[in-house]
Amino acid sequence: MKRFLACCILLLMINDPVLSKRSIRKFPKGFKFGASTAAYQIEGGWNEDGKGISIWDVATHMETTPIRDGSNGNIAADSYHLYKKDVEILKELGVDFYRFSVSWTRILPQGFSNYINQAGINYYNNLINELIQNNIVPFLTIYHWDLPQELQKLGGWTNPYIIDVFADYAKILFDHFGDRVKFWITINEPKQICYEGYGSDLKAPLVNMTGIAEYMCAKNVLLAHAKVYRIYDEEYRKKQNGKIGISISCTWYEPASDTIDDHQAALDARQFDWGQYAHPIFSKEGDFPHELKHNVAAKSAEQGYSYSRLPELSASEVAFIRGTSDFFGMNTYTTKMAYRDASVDGMFPVPSYRDDMGSVLVKDPTWPQAQSSWLQEVPWGFHKLLKEVNKLYDNPPVYITENGWSSSGGLLDEDRIQFLRNYLNALLDALDEGCNIKAYTVWSLIDNFEWLNGYTEKFGLYEVEFSSPDRTRTPRKSAFIYKEIIRSRILDPNFEPEKYVEERKDSQEKEKFDSDLY
């Protein structure tokens, strides 16, 4: 503990939490702003109009629920019926684009392409058309965690058969929506799919077989993504003229000290966390990163396995995956410190992803804390992450496809505003230093079902009244701040929305009146 506290003090001395002290900053011409959501988290309509059952429908309806508040996504924000309201508030914000996902089982109820549900096609056609009519670019995510349960019965993402099934699903979306959708994400956050869904019980399907299942999943996710990219590139790009990529969750891991061991611990953490998925796609050499292959092979040998628990990518598979993204889709929220400590042997199960990584990951208690236990505000970590991606992958076009802050609720969300401004400030610093960042997407447009945490964490710029049958959407103060950033293309830390300036004047006048009375 003494060492941990000393590391915190050292980091505070090294890293100023706000990188730039300039008061007003401009975004470059052509920089785009958006907002994002995901189908299961907002749509509801879980069994309407022919929709099939997903792994999240199964998880949320278990007799002993894994959901913190016992809730589910049966109705959520009811965007299946209120999509026009969502587009209305997107227009109100003035966003350039809206990143949303398609529910696989709303299109293919059993997961397979033999039967297409026309009601699902109609819903997304209506949403896409409504966006375009309001000058909002649709940015479509093909898969955001809601795997058809029928496919999970076959092993889901641990079964190589999923590669062809996913490709069939993607082609249906290209065929029906590609004439209007010009920005695509194949898969959202492979680590959360593989480690949290198959290597642990943090996400559906709650397989919880760490050290084996997440690595099987990782190979298949990469190959499925690559196959869909190749299909789009070879069969659709010329006639549809779009861009396609992947969104990878990226946490910055900072060495807790200047020791070689702690620097290696931070490097290993980064390569296990996001290098596992970014390196095969974006690096010149391709394949899984050296640190991942070395650690898993060494641990596997120690544990008596005759081969590495990390499946090998053949030379042809390495070539097939390498280069399969038109941009680096980055979902990023926070930072952790990493260190090596021999005294923590036995902390993690054997075998396991965390034991293979071998890094102890902690937060600095001085960092601002969100409602989500895993989320702290560390803008300098965001800046370092952007610089590292620039260095490692030859400065690819970067789209920030998720970044946001959770609260417990309420409309006066000063903590979210501080997070938003400080992270955009760090982004501008990275832009000034040559990083090729094209767009920023806030998570999320509206409050939603936050997976195992249900409705206990609020990420929305707009509050959703879940107790109301109308699911009323009300702008938080952060919505007014984001709207002004988009309108002006300026980051002004002193800007106060007129609504709140007037309220403050009224409050001050009332205080003066009360004091005069007494």
Side-chain angles (χ1 to χ4, degrees):
M1 181 57 72
K2 285 181 181 178
R3 182 189 172 200
F4 169 61
L5 291 173
C7 292
C8 292
I9 293 167
L10 176 63
L11 279 169
L12 282 171
M13 293 169 62
I14 294 171
N15 296 295
D16 183 353
V18 179
L19 289 167
S20 175
K21 303 301 183 184
R22 287 169 284 183
S23 57
I24 295 177
R25 306 183 70 181
K26 291 184 178 180
F27 288 89
K29 186 177 180 181
F31 190 87
K32 304 298 183 184
F33 290 95
S36 51
T37 60
Y40 186 80
Q41 293 180 273
I42 67 163
E43 281 183 4
W46 77 283
N47 61 354
E48 291 187 47
D49 297 336
K51 179 186 171 296
I53 302 301
S54 79
I55 56 174
W56 277 99
D57 294 318
V58 172
T60 57
H61 293 116
M62 291 169 65
E63 188 172 343
T64 302
T65 180
I67 311 303
R68 182 176 171 187
D69 58 359
S71 64
N72 54 53
N74 289 5
I75 302 174
D78 201 22
S79 290
Y80 186 62
H81 300 106
L82 301 176
Y83 71 90
K84 287 189 177 181
K85 182 62 179 175
D86 291 342
V87 176
E88 183 182 317
I89 62 178
L90 285 161
K91 185 178 182 182
E92 190 176 90
L93 280 174
V95 297
D96 299 300
F97 63 91
Y98 176 44
R99 180 182 172 232
F100 64 96
S101 75
V102 169
S103 167
W104 192 332
T105 56
R106 206 177 288 288
I107 301 294
L108 304 176
Q110 302 300 310
F112 299 99
S113 59
N114 61 306
Y115 171 69
I116 301 173
N117 181 32
Q118 188 59 43
I121 297 292
N122 293 345
Y123 170 68
Y124 293 109
N125 268 330
N126 290 338
L127 172 59
I128 290 164
N129 290 341
E130 190 77 11
L131 289 167
I132 291 171
Q133 286 166 19
N134 286 277
N135 298 313
I136 300 164
V137 173
F139 199 136
L140 192 154
T141 302
I142 297 171
Y143 181 74
H144 197 129
W145 305 357
D146 48 359
L147 187 74
Q149 177 62 18
E150 293 302 298
L151 297 181
Q152 185 53 41
K153 289 178 182 177
L154 301 174
W157 289 101
T158 62
N159 185 341
Y161 184 52
I162 194 75
I163 299 164
D164 292 330
V165 178
F166 181 64
D168 288 343
Y169 163 52
K171 287 177 71 174
I172 289 166
L173 302 193
F174 296 152
D175 287 337
H176 285 86
F177 309 133
D179 59 324
R180 287 151 295 150
V181 173
K182 305 304 176 186
F183 291 90
W184 299 85
I185 294 287
T186 55
I187 292 170
N188 181 74
E189 296 189 340
K191 180 202 169 182
Q192 279 65 22
I193 296 166
C194 296
Y195 169 60
E196 296 193 3
Y198 290 85
S200 76
D201 57 1
L202 297 173
K203 296 283 188 298
L206 313 170
V207 172
N208 203 19
M209 192 174 179
T210 188
I212 296 173
E214 62 264 81
Y215 300 137
M216 295 168 65
C217 171
K219 177 174 179 176
N220 293 334
V221 163
L222 283 165
L223 287 168
H225 154 77
K227 181 158 188 172
V228 169
Y229 177 91
R230 299 289 181 193
I231 288 170
Y232 188 83
D233 198 44
E234 294 163 13
E235 300 178 26
Y236 293 91
R237 189 188 298 276
K238 190 172 181 180
K239 59 185 177 182
Q240 295 186 353
N241 196 32
K243 294 181 183 295
I244 185 166
I246 188 169
S247 281
I248 298 173
S249 61
C250 300
T251 294
W252 179 254
Y253 294 95
E254 179 76 5
S257 77
D258 275 338
T259 65
I260 293 173
D261 279 351
D262 286 359
H263 274 273
Q264 188 63 49
L267 176 58
D268 287 353
R270 296 195 291 269
Q271 296 292 33
F272 271 72
D273 183 77
W274 45 272
Q276 182 172 174
Y277 305 98
H279 198 274
I281 297 170
F282 294 98
S283 70
K284 289 179 181 177
E285 62 271 27
D287 204 353
F288 289 124
H290 165 76
E291 291 77 10
L292 178 72
K293 293 196 294 183
H294 173 270
N295 285 21
V296 180
K299 288 281 187 177
S300 298
E302 281 178 24
Q303 293 155 6
Y305 290 88
S306 57
Y307 49 82
S308 175
R309 288 177 277 101
L310 178 69
E312 184 179 355
L313 292 174
S314 68
S316 61
E317 288 170 336
V318 168
F320 186 69
I321 296 167
R322 187 173 57 234
T324 56
S325 198
D326 297 332
F327 53 84
F328 192 117
M330 180 187 291
N331 292 0
T332 185
Y333 292 84
T334 197
T335 288
K336 294 290 183 288
M337 294 187 296
Y339 66 91
R340 285 270 148 77
D341 191 336
S343 69
V344 300
D345 284 348
M347 179 184 290
F348 308 113
V350 176
S352 72
Y353 166 89
R354 289 299 307 277
D355 182 65
D356 292 339
M357 182 194 298
S359 305
V360 183
L361 309 176
V362 293
K363 65 183 179 183
D364 185 326
T366 66
W367 294 338
Q369 176 66 51
Q371 177 72 5
S372 307
S373 61
W374 53 269
L375 176 52
Q376 297 80 42
E377 180 194 323
V378 196
W380 57 259
F382 180 38
H383 175 259
K384 288 190 174 188
L385 173 64
L386 291 167
K387 294 285 286 182
E388 186 75 357
V389 166
N390 177 339
K391 181 181 78 173
L392 290 177
Y393 307 127
D394 196 24
N395 203 14
V398 172
Y399 288 68
I400 307 301
T401 43
E402 285 184 27
N403 179 246
W405 182 259
S406 64
S407 67
S408 59
L411 298 180
L412 291 173
D413 52 347
E414 297 292 348
D415 52 350
R416 179 175 288 108
I417 292 166
Q418 174 183 289
F419 177 94
L420 181 65
R421 283 172 165 164
N422 285 343
Y423 272 62
L424 285 173
N425 195 54
L427 183 152
L428 284 167
D429 284 339
L431 273 170
D432 287 347
E433 294 163 25
C435 292
N436 189 16
I437 310 160
K438 300 294 187 182
Y440 175 87
T441 321
V442 70
W443 181 273
S444 62
L445 175 66
I446 55 178
D447 288 340
N448 52 55
F449 176 81
E450 194 53 40
W451 311 113
L452 290 194
N453 289 307
Y455 299 101
T456 64
E457 299 173 358
K458 315 294 187 183
F459 276 90
L461 295 178
Y462 285 73
E463 179 183 74
V464 175
E465 191 177 340
F466 291 107
S467 61
S468 165
D470 298 328
R471 294 302 196 266
T472 307
R473 286 110 159 98
T474 305
R476 292 192 165 99
K477 185 176 179 182
S478 58
F480 294 96
I481 296 293
Y482 194 49
K483 177 180 180 179
E484 177 61 17
I485 291 169
I486 296 169
R487 186 200 67 78
S488 66
R489 261 43 186 188
I490 287 173
L491 184 61
D492 180 359
N494 303 309
F495 171 77
E496 278 286 309
E498 186 175 337
K499 165 184 167 63
Y500 292 93
V501 171
E502 292 303 316
E503 285 181 4
R504 189 167 58 192
K505 284 180 181 176
D506 291 344
S507 175
Q508 288 169 346
E509 286 173 6
K510 183 179 182 303
E511 286 177 12
K512 184 177 185 303
F513 177 76
D514 290 345
S515 65
D516 289 345
L517 272 178
Y518 298 100

